[in-house]
């Protein structure tokens, strides 16, 4: 748990690094951070909140940096911003009683909550159901609900999800205010479209077309693709759940559904995407050049990837084993993992997703406010405006 | 590089590890030669001054994905003549023509350029920008050289050249190992990092200079070529310099130590006296305009002085301003006589007219003259930051190193800053040094390979 001194040191280091970056700006083709930085003369605490979450941690700027260690300036922007970013999750977490403590930088909190959720799901079933039901074969409509009643699944998961969505909403609102006042004169809708496109394509992991440095100084699109597999895998799984809900309540068709039904196809494809995405991202992390990585945060990264992997793998396992005696156990494990994931959403690295989106939206609004001009407004309007060439625009 | 009765360790030996050296190595390797490249720096700091570069100036007759508008050869040559004066016209013409496809050649060797449609870039019809800057270019060229099979040795500073008996050879490192090649490309930059040599040319002022680029540009191969009879071009006592913050690192400070605010306030020497029109140059050349002026100040140091109102009008230095509530206290903090600075500021303020200039004043300030009135007052120490020296060896259009009588040194080629004065004289044109390196690196590599494999 970082103390106040650590926070001060982390913020001061990030500010020092960003001010040197702003004087250089050679990396301005890589991502949105540099354009946003360019429009600032000095870096405030609100700017740190904004820029650290706008950073996608692609590390291209580290490998391109003329001042990276062993240079005496010792610049490591991805690492510096990672540490600030982790701090912003803690500063804006909801409820406020958790501020400064959650999300932890390690994996233990996520693991503990997930285990508790698994116990919450499994214990009532184990204690109340006879063994022949629990370890029996089940098929036909309603097979799952003979083990765990639909009302219990929907009620508990719904309540936890509702809490988590509320908590994330409050966190994002606090974070939005933490980025400072929104730029005047920017229309929200076009900016939202740009932010959606940036998030959906992970444009900022594209490194200006070359891809990013997921492992070392060589560019690659691997990280972007694995993240797409994970993100769209999760989306497909939610789509599967949505379709299944319509089937059940709208059409009266109860789960489990046949292999070639829409919920199973969507969920199966989504599950495979999640397994591929989480595995790929974890392998990239393992093999990454340690230089630009904030090692203290890898526990939290690993916890989210691990949990998502287990959620997907247990779902696929349930699909594979649903005709066997293992179905009951698989179902309880899968539901427990899903519940654990829902419960930890506002208190894990998952927060990077809504915060990143909010930062992308803010960046899009700023770009609109700036129009096509790149230069900041003259800071002292009382004096005659002077044309000021953009920094770092030449080699001299 | 086993010695199999062959007196040579490789076909082409490249001395240097920056942009020019890499282009030479890649071109020679692509021409079929076995190439060895000797980089003096360790791997983490490889790439010479190219590490700190940003863009390159290229001729083009129509817009390209990387450069807007058009920059015809005649415009480029006119710009060169303006800064370089009387240089070798034939070589300059060849250089400008060859610059036209150098971006494509570099892109074909892995270098990525920034799209000129990228809204973050300043408008430029003359230069193409490296995506991620010079270190990204260096990384890409090393990766390509390795992939092609160029042998690369880091931490390999060349101590001596041997050009008299048989094929060219160099002695590397301590204790020395001698490497012999059929042809040699010298692409080792200037001598700005040799403090002793710089002091012989500039006197004690040189000790105050900051070397903006690699500490490995000690000029040993340059000196050896001159000793072997190569004709010198340019001048030993001239450097390309910019004004940098006096607290910049002694070496390798790169672009971020440049001082931006000079034109907005006043600049005084260590005696507290103004010595130049701060408003004379406000465009991109404002950095270079002040480099040599400060180098020639007493003690090779000056101070950029401003007040709380003026300081909001320029990008701050990466180092904090030295601040004080009164001009006298500021002078004391800077080591200047307080009455002298007070008199200078009072005289300057009194001379300001309504039109943004001064009436009289010695020297006058012709633009951006604002009174220095609002405390706290601030100052940056200013020193000369040396990009590179302007002494080189004569080459022909095939990058062969020439003697005074016009004959070529057998199998010896040069590329980059070590021959840039053939094109640039003692002048400087933003982005052109990288073009010289790439264009002549490519020529030198091809020619060296052709010589080695003849």
């Amino acid at each position: 748990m970082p103390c106040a001194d650590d926070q001060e040191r982390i913020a001061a280091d990030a500010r020092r690094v960003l001010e040197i970056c702003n004087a250089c700006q050679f990396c301005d083709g890589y991502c949105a951070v540099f354009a946003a930085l360019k429009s600032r003369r000095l870096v405030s605490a609100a700017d740190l909140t904004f820029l650290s979450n706008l950073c996608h941690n692609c590390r291209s700027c580290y490998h391109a940096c003329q001042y990276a260690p062993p240079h005496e300036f010792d610049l490591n922007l991805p690492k510096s911003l990672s540490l600030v970013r982790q701090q912003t999750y803690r500063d804006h977490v909801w409820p406020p009683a958790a501020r400064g403590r959650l999300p932890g930088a390690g994996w233990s909190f996520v693991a503990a909550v997930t285990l508790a959720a698994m116990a919450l799901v499994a214990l009532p079933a184990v204690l109340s159901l006879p063994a022949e039901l629990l370890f029996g074969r089940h098929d036909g409509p309603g097979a799952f609900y003979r083990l765990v009643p639909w009302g219990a699944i929907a009620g508990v998961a719904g309540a936890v999800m509702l809490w988590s969505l509320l908590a994330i909403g409050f966190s994002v609102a606090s974070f939005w205010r933490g980025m400072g006042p929104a730029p005047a004169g920017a229309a929200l809708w076009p900016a939202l479209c740009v932010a959606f496109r940036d998030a959906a394509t992970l444009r900022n992991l594209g490194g200006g077309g070359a891809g990013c440095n997921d492992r070392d100084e060589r560019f690659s699109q691997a990280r972007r693709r694995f993240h797409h597999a994970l993100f769209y895998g999760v989306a497909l799984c939610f789509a599967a759940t949505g379709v299944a809900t319509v089937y059940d309540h709208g059409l009266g068709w109860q789960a489990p559904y046949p292999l070639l039904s829409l919920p199973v196809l969507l969920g199966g494809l989504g599950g495979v995407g999640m397994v591929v995405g989480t595995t790929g991202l974890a392998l990239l992390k393992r093999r990454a050049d340690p230089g630009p990585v904030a090692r203290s945060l890898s526990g939290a990264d690993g916890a989210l990837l691990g949990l998502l992997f287990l959620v997907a793998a247990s779902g696929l396992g349930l699909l594979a084993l649903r005709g066997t005696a293992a179905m009951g156990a698989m179902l309880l494990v899968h539901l427990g993992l899903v519940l654990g994931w829902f419960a930890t959403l506002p208190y894990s690295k998952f927060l990077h997703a809504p915060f990143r989106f909010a930062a992308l939206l803010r960046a899009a609004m700023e770009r609109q406010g700036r129009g096509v001009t790149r230069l900041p407004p003259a800071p002292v309007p009382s004096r005659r405006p002077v044309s000021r060439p953009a920094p770092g625009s030449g080699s001299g | 590089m086993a010695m199999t009765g062959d007196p040579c360790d490789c076909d082409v030996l490249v001395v240097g590890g920056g942009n020019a050296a890499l282009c030479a190595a890649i071109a020679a390797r692509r021409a079929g030669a076995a190439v060895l490249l000797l980089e003096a720096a360790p791997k983490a700091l490889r790439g010479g001054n190219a590490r700190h570069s940003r863009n390159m100036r290229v001729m083009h007759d129509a817009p390209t994905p990387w450069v807007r508008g058009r920059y015809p050869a005649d415009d480029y040559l006119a710009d060169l003549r303006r800064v370089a004066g009387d240089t070798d016209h034939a070589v300059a013409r060849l250089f400008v023509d060859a610059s036209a496809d150098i971006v494509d050649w570099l892109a074909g060797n892995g270098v990525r350029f920034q799209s000129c449609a990228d809204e973050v870039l300043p408008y430029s019809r003359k230069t193409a920008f490296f995506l991620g800057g010079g270190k990204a270019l260096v990384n890409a060229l090393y990766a390509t050289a390795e992939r092609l099979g160029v042998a690369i040795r880091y931490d390999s500073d060349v101590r001596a050249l041997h050009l008299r008996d048989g094929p060219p050879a160099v002695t590397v490192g301590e204790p020395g190992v001698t490497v012999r090649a059929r042809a040699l490309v010298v692409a080792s930059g200037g001598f700005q990092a040799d403090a002793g040599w710089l002091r012989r040319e500039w006197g004690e002022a040189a000790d105050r200079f900051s070397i903006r680029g690699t500490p490995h540009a000690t000029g040993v191969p340059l000196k050896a070529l001159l000793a072997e009879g190569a004709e010198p071009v340019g001048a030993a006592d001239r450097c390309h310099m910019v004004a940098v913050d006096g607290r910049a690192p002694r070496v390798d400070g790169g672009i971020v130590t440049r001082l931006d605010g000079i034109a907005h306030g006043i600049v005084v020497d260590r005696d507290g006296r103004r010595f130049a029109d701060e408003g004379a140059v406000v465009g991109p050349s404002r950095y270079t305009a002040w480099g040599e002026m400060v180098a020639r100040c007493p003690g090779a140091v000056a101070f950029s002085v401003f007040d709380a109102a003026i300081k909001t009008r320029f990008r701050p230095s990466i180092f904090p301003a030295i601040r004080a509530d009164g001009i006298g206290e500021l002078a004391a903090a800077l080591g200047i006589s307080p009455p002298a600075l007070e008199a200078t500021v009072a005289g300057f303020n009194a001379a300001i007219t309504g039109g943004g200039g001064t009436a009289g004043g010695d020297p006058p300030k012709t633009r951006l003259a604002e009174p220095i009135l609002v405390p706290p007052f601030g100052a940056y120490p200013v020193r000369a930051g040396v990009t590179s020296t302007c002494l080189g060896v004569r080459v022909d259009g095939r990058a062969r190193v020439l003697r005074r009588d016009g004959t070529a040194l057998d199998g010896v080629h040069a590329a980059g800053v070590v021959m840039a004065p053939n094109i640039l004289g003692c002048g400087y044109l933003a982005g052109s040094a990288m073009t010289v390196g790439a264009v002549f690196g490519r020529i030198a590599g091809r020619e060296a390979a052709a010589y080695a494999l003849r």
Side-chain angles (χ1 to χ4, degrees):
Chain A
M1 205 75 19
C3 61
D5 282 356
D6 282 338
Q7 292 179 34
E8 285 295 311
R9 192 177 42 73
I10 286 169
D13 175 64
R15 203 170 273 135
R16 176 188 76 88
V17 171
L18 283 167
E19 279 166 9
I20 293 175
C21 288
N22 211 5
C24 172
Q25 284 283 0
F26 282 13
C27 294
D28 61 4
Y30 281 138
C31 76
V33 168
F34 293 90
L37 178 63
K38 199 176 272 190
S39 69
R40 287 159 164 79
R41 190 172 169 278
L42 296 169
V43 178
S44 68
D47 296 335
L48 280 186
T49 299
F50 168 46
L51 296 171
S52 65
N53 281 280
L54 189 56
C55 167
H56 288 49
N57 201 16
C58 78
R59 294 164 246 173
S60 296
C61 63
Y62 172 82
H63 290 286
C65 183
Q66 56 189 311
Y67 303 114
H71 192 280
E72 66 177 271
F73 286 170
D74 196 29
L75 296 201
N76 194 333
L77 187 62
K79 187 172 176 178
S80 298
L81 291 183
S82 293
L83 294 169
V84 175
R85 188 162 58 238
Q86 167 70 12
Q87 193 55 49
T88 65
Y89 301 156
R90 290 203 189 103
D91 288 346
H92 299 287
V93 77
W94 189 87
R99 290 212 171 133
R101 289 199 282 275
L102 288 175
W107 51 269
S108 50
F109 177 79
V110 168
V113 172
T114 305
L115 285 174
M118 292 174 78
L120 182 71
V121 170
L123 280 180
V126 170
L127 293 178
S128 68
L129 295 177
E132 59 271 23
L133 191 58
L134 202 54
F135 298 110
R137 282 169 180 272
H138 303 271
D139 43 31
F144 294 154
Y145 306 135
R146 265 171 254 150
L147 291 167
V148 192
W150 182 86
I153 298 179
V156 173
V160 169
M161 193 53 156
L162 188 65
W163 168 275
S164 289
L165 289 178
L166 272 177
I168 289 171
F170 284 123
S171 290
V172 171
S174 166
F175 169 69
W176 185 262
R177 289 191 298 275
M179 289 190 289
L188 186 62
W189 182 245
L192 263 175
C193 292
V194 171
F196 270 117
R197 196 198 58 210
D198 286 352
T201 62
L202 292 177
R203 184 174 66 87
N204 288 283
L205 284 186
C212 61
N213 298 88
D214 17 67
R215 284 167 57 181
D216 52 27
E217 73 205 30
R218 288 168 297 181
F219 292 89
S220 127
Q221 302 279 5
R223 179 137 164 266
R224 195 180 189 185
R225 290 178 182 147
F226 284 130
H227 196 286
H228 279 328
L230 174 55
F231 177 85
Y232 290 104
V234 170
L236 285 174
C237 288
F238 274 108
T241 309
V243 171
T245 306
V246 172
Y247 276 15
D248 192 335
H249 296 273
L251 305 171
W253 304 341
Q254 282 205 327
Y257 300 107
L259 270 182
L260 292 178
S261 66
L262 199 52
V264 172
L265 286 176
L266 289 172
L269 193 58
V272 169
M274 287 174 68
V275 166
V276 169
T278 51
T279 308
L281 290 172
L283 286 177
L284 285 178
K285 274 186 199 299
R286 264 179 70 105
R287 292 173 188 166
D289 180 342
V293 176
R295 293 183 75 89
S296 60
L297 308 183
S298 34
D301 291 358
L304 180 61
L305 285 179
L307 181 51
L308 286 168
F309 174 83
L310 290 174
V311 165
S314 63
L316 293 173
L318 179 58
L319 180 62
L321 301 177
R322 63 185 182 173
T324 73
M327 186 274 266
M330 269 331 278
L331 179 66
L332 295 177
V333 167
H334 179 61
L335 291 178
L337 286 165
V338 171
L339 190 67
W341 180 50
F342 282 4
T344 53
L345 286 178
Y347 311 111
S348 72
K349 161 124 200 245
F350 178 80
L351 270 187
H352 84 279
F355 279 32
R356 179 76 33 81
F357 182 78
L360 284 170
L361 177 59
R362 181 60 71 97
M365 291 169 73
E366 283 194 0
R367 276 205 298 278
Q368 282 201 340
R370 285 200 295 276
V372 290
T373 59
R374 293 178 308 275
L375 298 180
V380 185
S382 61
R383 297 227 183 184
R384 262 193 330 282
V386 174
S387 71
R388 181 170 50 221
S393 58
S395 61
Chain B
M1 285 179 298
M3 306 278 280
T4 52
D6 187 332
C8 291
D9 299 292
C10 58
D11 295 326
V12 174
L13 179 63
V14 179
V15 176
N19 169 48
L22 288 160
C23 291
I26 288 169
R29 183 77 194 109
R30 286 196 182 280
V35 182
L36 171 64
L37 178 143
L38 300 173
E39 159 63 305
K43 186 178 180 192
L45 296 170
R46 67 188 179 181
N49 278 3
R51 268 163 46 73
H52 297 293
S53 69
R54 175 60 162 136
N55 53 2
M56 67 190 344
R57 181 178 291 247
V58 291
M59 183 268 269
H60 57 114
D61 284 323
T64 79
W66 324 116
V67 212
R68 292 170 188 270
R70 52 195 296 271
Y71 187 41
D74 288 342
D75 289 13
Y76 202 151
L77 285 165
D79 284 341
L80 279 175
R81 263 194 302 278
R82 188 167 46 75
V83 300
D86 191 29
T87 53
D88 184 330
H89 294 307
V91 172
R93 178 84 218 189
L94 179 146
F95 161 73
V96 166
D97 290 342
S99 77
D101 72 339
I102 200 67
V103 168
D104 286 342
W105 187 80
L106 287 168
N109 285 299
V111 177
R112 292 189 164 95
F113 289 84
Q114 210 162 337
S115 163
C116 64
D118 192 335
E119 65 183 41
V120 295
L121 279 184
Y123 177 88
S124 175
R125 73 175 179 100
K126 299 181 178 178
T127 63
F129 289 78
F130 315 129
L131 179 61
K135 189 173 166 188
L137 168 137
V138 164
N139 287 343
L141 291 178
Y142 270 103
T144 298
E146 271 171 27
R147 185 171 52 75
L148 294 174
V150 172
I152 293 165
R153 301 280 180 274
Y154 297 106
D155 303 295
S156 299
D157 56 330
V158 166
R159 305 295 174 101
L161 303 187
H162 314 284
L163 307 179
R164 302 240 163 128
D165 309 309
V170 305
T171 301
V172 188
E174 192 71 53
V177 175
T178 296
V179 184
R180 196 163 284 280
R182 292 187 175 80
L184 181 67
V185 176
V186 177
S188 51
F191 68 83
Q192 62 274 9
D194 180 344
W197 192 349
L198 212 55
R199 197 179 303 119
R200 284 197 293 283
E201 307 295 340
W202 286 83
E204 284 182 11
D207 295 343
R208 303 294 186 98
F209 295 170
S210 170
I211 307 305
R212 301 175 68 216
T214 175
H216 298 282
T218 52
V220 170
L222 167 64
K223 188 184 277 183
L225 287 177
L226 295 171
E228 293 289 341
E231 181 186 351
V233 291
D237 61 352
R238 294 289 303 280
C239 297
H240 172 242
M241 295 174 161
V242 304
V244 299
D245 193 300
R247 296 157 292 182
R250 166 81 187 131
V251 295
D252 240 353
I255 194 155
V256 300
T257 60
R258 294 192 307 190
L259 276 180
D260 184 30
I262 283 180
H264 293 275
I266 60 169
V267 179
V268 299
D269 61 18
R270 68 181 180 190
D271 302 320
R273 282 192 294 261
R274 290 179 60 241
F275 56 90
D277 174 6
E278 297 89 346
V281 187
V282 294
S285 57
R286 64 195 186 281
Y287 302 108
T288 42
W290 285 88
E292 279 211 32
M293 274 197 281
V294 172
R296 298 183 192 285
C297 274
V301 64
F303 300 91
S304 167
V305 177
F306 44 86
D307 72 359
I310 294 170
K311 84 165 168 44
T312 60
R313 307 182 62 191
F314 55 84
R315 292 256 169 206
S317 173
I318 60 164
F319 300 98
I322 298 163
R323 292 180 201 285
D325 285 328
I327 294 292
E329 290 122 287
L330 183 66
L334 300 175
I336 299 175
S337 148
L341 188 60
E342 280 168 342
T344 297
V345 170
F348 172 76
N349 287 348
I352 291 173
T353 63
T358 58
D362 184 26
K365 183 174 180 186
T366 53
R367 263 184 291 188
L368 301 175
E370 300 277 355
I372 297 170
L373 283 174
V374 186
F377 302 98
Y380 297 126
V382 192
R383 295 213 187 156
V386 179
T387 312
S388 61
T389 46
C390 298
L391 176 66
V393 294
R394 174 78 65 199
V395 295
D396 63 11
R398 295 163 61 191
R400 298 183 305 169
V401 177
L402 302 180
R403 299 187 185 86
R404 285 179 190 278
D405 62 9
T407 58
L409 274 70
D410 283 341
V412 182
H413 307 76
V417 165
V418 75
M419 49 64 64
N422 287 276
I423 316 273
L424 299 171
C426 296
Y428 179 79
L429 203 55
S432 56
M434 285 297 287
T435 315
V436 171
V439 164
F440 275 90
R442 177 166 62 150
I443 294 172
R446 284 178 184 163
E447 292 290 336
Y451 182 88
L453 303 175
R454 72 195 185 281

